[in-house]
């Protein structure tokens, strides 16, 4: 007879282990599924902050900034005088503007900076805010798909960047046949901005910086620079406004210098304060004060604005006289000398909000700022150059960096400028001045 071995159960051990492993794996899958759903919920909530989704936003919790954006978009904007452009004024309002009391004296915030850009140059706002920490009005022109991206970027900047939220008002201009809307279907384009915060938004903007070359947005798209300047100007309640391009930087402490000057004297009603304009080599750090600027000027790292392309356009500023003037960088703005306007001078200046607007018929390249300076002259304004403040353009302006249609646009606007000068005779019939 065969002897029977006692049953030890060792054959069942692998089955027990396998079952345990299967249970552990199942639990891991359930846990990962839970984490995925939780992450998705968190992401949807974050996107609800950025995109304003009704389905994912907290019930009863309102974001005033988002609500204002929704209202601005719902208005459909307004058409400009030509009917060719749609303007969303105060698309995004800063805390500063929101907290201004109705009917408040505009002198309470004295001086604002107004500028304009397309989405490809909006990244310059970052360095501008490092220097300018006072109210800022930005008019953005967008075309095609960029209309919704410009809307989202303006909102993202105001949501994630404390200084933008506090000080910057955004306005949007597009063609009249287009309407701004939030890019709800393009969330992946903005993925990760919540975690990266303000630096992430500006990093995203950097990816758009080379999309266009100057005014070369499209063959049939004109950049309405003077309309944008007027929109940015009218988008602030400040008593005085400095209008510059977004790739320019003012000298440090300009706002404080101006306010200190106002305590001593206000500019005359027919006076604008000219800030000499320079351009700096790309590799150089922006000078903060006149002493730093003069040092760079003397070694050729800084030069007059448009020195290579149109030296006559800034020559009346009289740079040699200005550089040799002794002045205090930290004191109030000082008036150094007064200049009579001469064609084709196009100065950058601080002016009262009552100065004539820019003529919006000028678009693209050429005569857009000269025309406005010309009107100031005919209207009787005087140009007082300050001795201790300035503006600097990033990079030297050189011929090869401009778009191919620059000369053609300049010729077209030259003809327009001639008719503009004739119209000033009718507008100011008693003025002895001519351009």
């Amino acid at each position: 007879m065969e002897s029977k071995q006692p049953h030890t159960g060792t054959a069942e051990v692998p089955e027990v282990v396998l079952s345990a492993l299967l249970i552990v794996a199942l639990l891991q899958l359930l846990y990962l599924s839970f984490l995925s759903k939780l992450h998705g919920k968190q992401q949807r909530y974050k996107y609800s902050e950025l995109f304003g989704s009704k389905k994912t936003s907290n019930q009863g919790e309102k974001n005033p900034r988002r609500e204002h954006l929704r209202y601005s978009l719902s208005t459909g904007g307004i058409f400009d005088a030509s009917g060719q452009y749609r303007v969303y004024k105060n698309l995004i309002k800063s805390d500063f503007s929101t907290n201004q009391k109705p009917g408040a004296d505009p002198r309470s915030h004295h001086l604002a900076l107004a500028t304009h850009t397309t989405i490809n140059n909006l990244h310059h706002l970052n360095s501008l805010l490092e220097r300018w920490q006072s109210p800022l009005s930005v008019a953005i022109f967008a075309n095609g798909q960029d209309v919704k991206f410009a809307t989202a970027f303006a909102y993202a900047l105001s949501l994630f960047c404390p200084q933008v939220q506090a000080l910057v008002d955004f306005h949007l201009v597009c063609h009249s046949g287009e309407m701004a809307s939030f890019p709800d279907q393009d969330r992946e384009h903005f993925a990760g901005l919540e975690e990266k915060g303000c630096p992430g938004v500006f990093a995203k903007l950097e990816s758009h910086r080379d999309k266009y070359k100057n005014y070369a947005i499209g063959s049939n798209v004109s950049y309405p620079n003077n309309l944008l300047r007027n929109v940015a100007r009218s988008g602030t309640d400040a008593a005085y406004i400095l209008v510059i391009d977004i790739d320019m930087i003012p000298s440090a402490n300009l706002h404080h210098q101006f306010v200190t000057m106002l305590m001593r004297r206000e500019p005359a009603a027919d006076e604008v304060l000219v800030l000499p304009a320079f351009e700096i080599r790309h590799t150089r750090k922006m000078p903060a004060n006149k002493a730093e600027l003069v040092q760079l000027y003397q070694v050729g790292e800084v030069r007059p604005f448009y020195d290579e392309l149109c030296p006559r356009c800034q020559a009346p500023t009289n740079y040699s006289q200005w550089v040799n003037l002794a002045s205090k960088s930290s004191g109030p703005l000082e008036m150094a000398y007064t200049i009579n306007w001469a064609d084709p001078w196009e100065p950058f200046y601080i002016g009262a909000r009552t100065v004539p607007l820019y003529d919006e018929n000028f678009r693209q390249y050429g005569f857009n700022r000269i025309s406005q300076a010309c009107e100031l002259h005919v209207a009787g304004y005087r140009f007082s150059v300050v001795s201790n403040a300035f503006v600097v353009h990033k990079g030297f302006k050189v011929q090869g960096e401009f778009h191919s249609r620059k000369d053609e646009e300049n010729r077209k606007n030259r003809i327009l400028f001639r008719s503009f000068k004739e119209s000033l005779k009718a507008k100011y019939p008693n003025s002895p001045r001519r351009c």
Side-chain angles (χ1 to χ4, degrees):
M1 292 180 60
E2 295 182 1
S3 61
K4 293 184 178 181
Q5 299 293 326
H7 181 66
T8 62
T10 54
E12 296 180 2
V13 172
E15 295 179 4
V16 173
V17 173
L18 181 60
S19 299
L21 289 174
L22 287 174
I23 292 171
V24 170
L26 181 60
L27 289 173
Q28 287 179 330
L29 287 173
L30 290 172
Y31 180 66
L32 290 173
S33 176
F34 169 76
L35 288 180
S36 177
K37 289 179 180 180
L38 178 61
H39 178 72
K41 185 177 181 180
Q42 291 173 335
Q43 285 297 100
R44 285 194 298 272
Y45 173 71
K46 290 176 179 177
Y47 276 125
S48 76
E49 281 297 298
L50 185 58
F51 290 90
S53 170
K54 293 180 180 179
K55 292 182 179 180
T56 57
S57 60
N58 285 359
Q59 294 296 324
E61 184 177 328
K62 287 190 175 182
N63 180 331
R65 196 170 302 277
R66 184 175 64 224
E67 293 303 313
H68 175 80
L69 175 60
R70 277 186 186 155
Y71 171 77
S72 298
L73 294 174
S74 70
T75 66
I78 58 173
F79 291 154
D80 76 319
S82 72
Q84 297 180 44
Y85 297 95
R86 188 186 300 271
V87 178
Y88 292 88
K89 191 175 175 182
N90 290 312
L91 182 74
I92 303 288
K93 293 188 73 172
S94 67
D95 291 343
F96 185 91
S97 295
T98 302
N99 295 330
Q100 283 291 299
K101 296 179 180 179
D105 186 345
R107 288 176 297 182
S108 63
H109 59 283
H110 305 298
L111 176 63
L113 193 151
T115 189
H116 59 98
T117 183
T118 56
I119 194 172
N120 65 305
N121 275 325
L122 189 55
H123 66 276
H124 287 298
L125 180 63
N126 195 17
S127 54
L128 182 56
L129 283 170
E130 290 177 0
R131 178 65 59 84
W132 182 261
Q133 297 170 3
S134 299
L136 176 59
S137 180
V138 181
I140 305 172
F141 176 69
N143 174 67
Q145 290 293 312
D146 280 350
V147 176
K148 61 182 179 181
F149 288 140
T151 304
F153 274 125
Y155 182 57
L157 286 168
S158 71
L159 190 64
F160 298 124
C161 302
Q163 194 172 355
V164 174
Q165 186 177 114
L167 297 171
V168 181
D169 295 319
F170 288 106
H171 322 281
L172 181 65
V173 176
C174 58
H175 286 109
S176 56
E178 301 172 327
M179 292 189 70
S181 61
F182 224 79
D184 291 295
Q185 304 305 316
D186 298 272
R187 297 184 175 189
E188 292 303 317
H189 188 78
F190 297 92
L193 291 188
E194 297 82 6
E195 288 79 9
K196 297 176 182 177
C198 187
V201 182
F202 278 111
K204 195 72 174 176
L205 282 170
E206 283 280 349
S207 67
H208 286 261
R209 66 180 300 168
D210 296 322
K211 190 172 183 180
Y212 312 123
K213 190 174 184 179
N214 287 347
Y215 296 123
I217 301 173
S219 57
N220 296 316
V221 181
S222 294
Y223 183 70
N225 32 36
N226 276 359
L227 169 61
L228 293 166
R229 290 183 175 111
N230 288 342
V231 169
R233 265 186 55 175
S234 63
T236 174
D237 292 329
Y240 296 92
I241 304 168
L242 168 62
V243 181
I244 61 174
D245 297 338
I246 201 167
D247 54 358
M248 304 185 85
I249 301 289
S251 51
N253 302 317
L254 175 59
H255 187 274
H256 176 71
Q257 288 179 296
F258 183 76
V259 171
T260 306
M261 181 203 72
L262 288 182
M263 294 177 182
R264 300 183 179 185
R265 80 167 188 94
E266 289 194 24
D270 61 351
E271 181 184 26
V272 295
L273 311 184
V274 175
L275 306 181
F278 297 85
E279 54 189 37
I280 187 170
R281 201 178 298 277
H282 271 296
T283 55
R284 286 293 187 174
K285 179 183 176 182
M286 281 286 177
N289 53 51
K290 184 173 180 178
E292 293 179 3
L293 180 130
V294 170
Q295 188 175 19
L296 292 169
Y297 182 86
Q298 290 172 339
V299 296
E301 296 299 290
V302 163
R303 65 187 188 184
F305 186 58
Y306 259 54
D307 190 52
E308 179 178 328
L309 298 176
C310 183
R312 292 174 58 239
C313 292
Q314 298 295 328
T317 302
N318 198 338
Y319 286 92
S320 60
Q321 179 180 354
W322 187 86
V323 166
N324 289 307
L325 282 173
S327 58
K328 298 178 180 178
S329 298
S330 58
L333 286 186
E334 301 169 350
M335 303 308 110
Y337 47 89
T338 300
I339 299 177
N340 292 323
W341 184 85
D343 190 11
W345 193 27
E346 46 180 19
F348 294 92
Y349 62 85
I350 296 172
R353 61 181 301 103
T354 54
V355 301
L357 293 171
Y358 294 82
D359 189 285
E360 295 173 6
N361 291 306
F362 290 91
R363 302 168 190 167
Q364 290 290 108
Y365 184 87
F367 296 90
N368 45 80
R369 287 193 304 107
I370 298 174
S371 56
Q372 201 254 359
C374 163
E375 180 167 356
L376 290 182
H377 169 68
V378 174
Y381 282 81
R382 52 195 171 99
F383 298 81
S384 298
V385 180
V386 302
S387 65
N388 54 343
F390 52 87
V391 294
V392 183
H393 176 270
K394 298 177 185 177
F396 284 170
K397 289 274 191 179
V398 295
Q399 187 69 39
E401 291 183 355
F402 282 85
H403 57 296
S404 59
R405 297 175 61 187
K406 165 183 165 288
D407 292 338
E408 175 189 343
E409 293 162 3
N410 202 42
R411 286 191 295 270
K412 179 181 177 181
N413 281 337
R414 187 185 301 276
I415 296 171
L416 179 61
F417 185 51
R418 291 171 186 159
S419 63
F420 172 78
K421 290 191 288 186
E422 289 299 313
S423 71
L424 292 180
K425 296 177 181 178
K427 187 173 182 179
Y428 303 96
N430 298 321
S431 176
R433 297 180 174 184
R434 295 290 180 264
C435 293

